[in-house]
Amino acid sequence: MGVLREYQMQAARFALDSFVRNGGAGLFLDMGLGKTLTSIAIMDIWHAEHPDGRFLVVAPALVAKNSWPDELERFKSVHSLDWAVAVGTPRQRLAAVNENRTVTIIGQDNLAWLDKTVACWPWAGIVVDELSGYRNPKSNRFKVLKARRADRASHPSGRRRTSNGELPIDWLLGLTGTPATKNLLDLWAQMMLVDGGRTLGRSMERFKGEYFRESRWIKNPYGVSQCIEWEPLDGAQARIMDRIGADCLSMRAADKLPGLPDLLTVDHWIDMPAETRAKYDEIRRAMVLEVSGREDVTAANAGVLTGKLSQLTAGCVYPDSDDSDRTVMHVDDAKMDELERIMSEADGPVLVFYRFKDELERMAKRFPGMREVHEDGVLAEWNAGRVPLLAAHPMAAKYGLNIQHGGHEIVWLSLPWSLEDYDQANARLHRSGQSHPVRVHRICESGTVDSRILSVLERRANLHDAVMGALRGEE
């Protein structure tokens, strides 16, 4: 495919060679480096050599519905693949599967349906877009792909379907720009899918035992101590990176796209209004006192506390689950005021990320021209510069949206805890095709949980950079 850039050809060659040697490959490429186009080239080359081969692409729902078919259509003059998109109702999905096209595209949310519906999978290769979404080995989507990778007629429970003997998948290609944003433990399940356990073993518990030590415990409701955190042993990170290096290729956008405009971060620290501060301190003291003397402190306890405090920094308080009054309490508009100020000085349209529905509702009332990212036709209008304020939740907008032509100003009303959500969301504008430096405005309230979220994002970014750097051979 002549449209590929040199680094994309390098990635394609790496993957095809790894398929032959190891039966799988991981392309850990920064956002904006063209993982979709590279994967189309890989399938096209493989199909030319194996004409009977068919492929399954599994992607986040929006990406499966929009990005993959759009890219296949856009570059159809330079590849020989035909495709069907298995989205919509079960009947529509089944009709697409039964078309027996060279490439079948399906959302990862429909993997369980596909597993129940198709007894023996006909696909020789599987492309897993956003591999990091499979880092939890207890998730059903992981179990489905793990079983089907080993035997196209297998079920996660171990039950065999109709098959003339074990028929493994020829290869699996895993795509992600964020393989380990939280913990090195995230790598095990992803590599299990990529290489079937060849590098990091077939047991998560053995992987933990070889590379990690227990570092934090809690008591469960039955009074039994349970480990909830592990830390890597000395030298473990280097050994893990060395093990997976033969199957995984890492690339950084800054290296491969030297002309990519800068990503500039501007933190807007504001003071929490006095009345909100009093309520914030009251809730924090009450909830800390509630859990501080208990032995059954869990992540759920901490989640409730930080969630409630985050709501207050956003200017609202949601009712507790057992509260008969389901009304959301409006507290203040401090961040909305700052958003309005930023918009007044912004160089063009603004993409705003929010966490709470109350923030979205208040934006809609305050800024009449606001549009939401999921509205029909809104992305074309945004790219044409006709949407002054585009609102998006990071979970809904972090994949598959090429909206870099519509603006270069991002505002975070409330930051997420997830580095993957944060980086992927920012990459909607900071990617190939963007012609201006992208400014990321983060509105934070001093002396609140906002500071904690920023520090967590920074630590996780350090881990991510270390993993990606090790795979590139950097010291």
Side-chain angles (χ1 to χ4, degrees):
M1 290 178 65
V3 297
L4 292 186
R5 300 183 180 186
E6 176 57 39
Y7 71 83
Q8 292 169 329
M9 290 190 285
Q10 176 190 351
R13 288 192 294 266
F14 175 90
L16 291 164
D17 181 59
S18 189
F19 293 166
V20 175
R21 290 185 292 106
N22 304 321
L27 295 183
F28 297 168
L29 312 184
D30 267 358
M31 289 77 75
L33 287 180
K35 292 187 285 291
T36 303
L37 178 58
T38 303
S39 301
I40 291 172
I42 290 169
M43 290 187 289
D44 191 42
I45 295 169
W46 188 272
H47 185 248
E49 297 180 358
H50 308 82
D52 294 332
R54 292 160 58 193
F55 316 109
L56 178 70
V57 174
V58 186
L62 275 176
V63 182
K65 182 180 179 181
N66 299 313
S67 296
W68 274 94
D70 287 353
E71 290 288 280
L72 283 161
E73 177 67 27
R74 178 184 174 193
F75 294 104
K76 65 181 180 181
S77 63
V78 293
H79 68 76
S80 60
L81 305 171
D82 60 343
W83 65 92
V85 186
V87 300
T89 66
R91 178 177 294 183
Q92 290 170 327
R93 295 197 297 268
L94 183 58
V97 170
N98 288 338
E99 288 183 30
N100 296 319
R101 298 297 180 91
T102 306
V103 179
T104 300
I105 307 164
I106 194 167
Q108 62 188 23
D109 54 323
N110 285 317
L111 266 179
W113 169 85
L114 187 66
D115 182 60
K116 294 177 182 177
T117 304
V118 181
C120 188
W121 284 14
W123 303 288
I126 298 179
V127 178
V128 181
D129 199 350
E130 299 305 337
L131 179 68
S132 58
Y134 299 77
R135 59 180 173 261
N136 179 5
K138 295 181 180 179
S139 69
N140 191 53
R141 68 179 63 159
F142 168 82
K143 293 176 182 178
V144 168
L145 284 187
K146 176 176 177 289
R148 292 289 189 159
R149 192 199 197 296
D151 179 357
R152 298 190 211 175
S154 283
H155 185 272
S157 67
R159 178 166 54 86
R160 290 289 296 276
R161 307 290 183 83
T162 302
S163 177
N164 296 322
E166 186 171 287
L167 184 64
I169 298 293
D170 289 345
W171 52 261
L172 185 143
L173 175 64
L175 309 173
T176 183
T178 51
T181 57
K182 185 177 180 180
N183 195 301
L184 286 171
L185 287 171
D186 292 346
L187 291 172
W188 181 84
Q190 297 175 71
M191 293 308 301
M192 184 67 197
L193 294 182
V194 167
D195 60 26
R198 189 184 66 84
T199 54
L200 298 184
R202 298 183 58 84
S203 166
M204 176 68 157
E205 293 307 313
R206 289 182 182 178
F207 176 65
K208 287 180 181 177
E210 183 175 356
Y211 295 103
F212 299 85
R213 67 170 65 91
E214 296 180 345
S215 61
R216 185 183 173 198
W217 300 262
I218 62 169
K219 288 189 176 180
N220 63 25
Y222 305 101
V224 179
S225 292
Q226 177 181 0
C227 181
I228 60 170
E229 286 185 9
W230 290 261
E231 62 183 17
L233 298 169
D234 292 343
Q237 180 171 311
R239 289 192 291 132
I240 292 171
M241 294 302 104
D242 184 61
R243 293 290 297 273
I244 71 175
D247 293 351
C248 300
L249 178 68
S250 168
M251 290 183 178
R252 187 169 52 188
D255 297 330
K256 304 303 178 182
L257 298 174
L260 189 67
D262 290 337
L263 181 69
L264 310 173
T265 301
V266 182
D267 288 337
H268 299 256
W269 289 99
I270 62 175
D271 292 328
M272 178 177 277
E275 291 186 9
T276 308
R277 171 67 67 182
K279 185 176 292 293
Y280 182 96
D281 291 341
E282 176 188 350
I283 290 178
R284 181 174 55 83
R285 284 194 299 268
M287 296 191 77
V288 169
L289 286 173
E290 179 184 341
V291 301
S292 61
R294 295 165 54 182
E295 293 184 339
D296 62 338
V297 178
T298 66
N301 300 139
V304 170
L305 174 58
T306 57
K308 191 71 72 175
L309 298 181
S310 292
Q311 291 166 23
L312 282 166
T313 66
C316 59
V317 180
Y318 279 73
D320 295 330
S321 58
D322 58 353
D323 193 337
S324 58
D325 182 3
R326 308 302 298 161
T327 304
V328 178
M329 182 187 302
H330 173 63
V331 181
D332 67 64
D333 280 322
K335 287 191 174 181
M336 290 292 160
D337 293 340
E338 185 65 12
L339 170 60
E340 184 170 11
R341 190 191 67 77
I342 293 171
M343 288 184 62
S344 69
E345 300 176 356
D347 182 22
V350 176
L351 173 62
V352 178
F353 290 110
Y354 65 91
R355 277 181 63 188
F356 305 104
K357 187 177 179 181
D358 181 71
E359 293 176 301
L360 177 65
E361 293 173 349
R362 281 185 283 146
M363 276 195 291
K365 292 178 181 178
R366 186 154 179 170
F367 307 103
M370 188 202 83
R371 302 287 299 278
E372 295 182 55
V373 73
H374 57 78
E375 295 178 28
D376 289 340
V378 72
L379 300 186
E381 292 187 48
W382 163 268
N383 277 326
R386 294 194 293 267
V387 179
L389 176 61
L390 184 64
H393 192 283
M395 290 294 291
K398 65 180 182 177
Y399 301 134
L401 298 181
N402 292 310
I403 55 177
Q404 64 271 32
H405 303 294
H408 51 274
E409 301 273 4
I410 295 173
V411 176
W412 285 90
L413 275 177
S414 296
L415 288 164
W417 291 94
S418 166
L419 177 65
E420 180 182 8
D421 290 353
Y422 177 75
D423 283 346
Q424 290 276 10
N426 289 334
R428 296 314 95 207
L429 298 189
H430 190 243
R431 59 195 301 111
S432 181
Q434 176 60 255
S435 57
H436 297 85
V438 175
R439 284 194 293 184
V440 178
H441 304 265
R442 306 188 297 194
I443 304 177
C444 305
E445 293 194 328
S446 303
T448 71
V449 70
D450 284 348
S451 299
R452 173 66 175 162
I453 295 174
L454 283 176
S455 66
V456 168
L457 289 175
E458 182 178 354
R459 287 202 308 275
R460 291 178 178 174
N462 290 337
L463 171 63
H464 168 70
D465 291 345
V467 169
M468 299 290 274
L471 289 175
R472 289 191 297 268
E474 300 172 359
E475 294 296 333

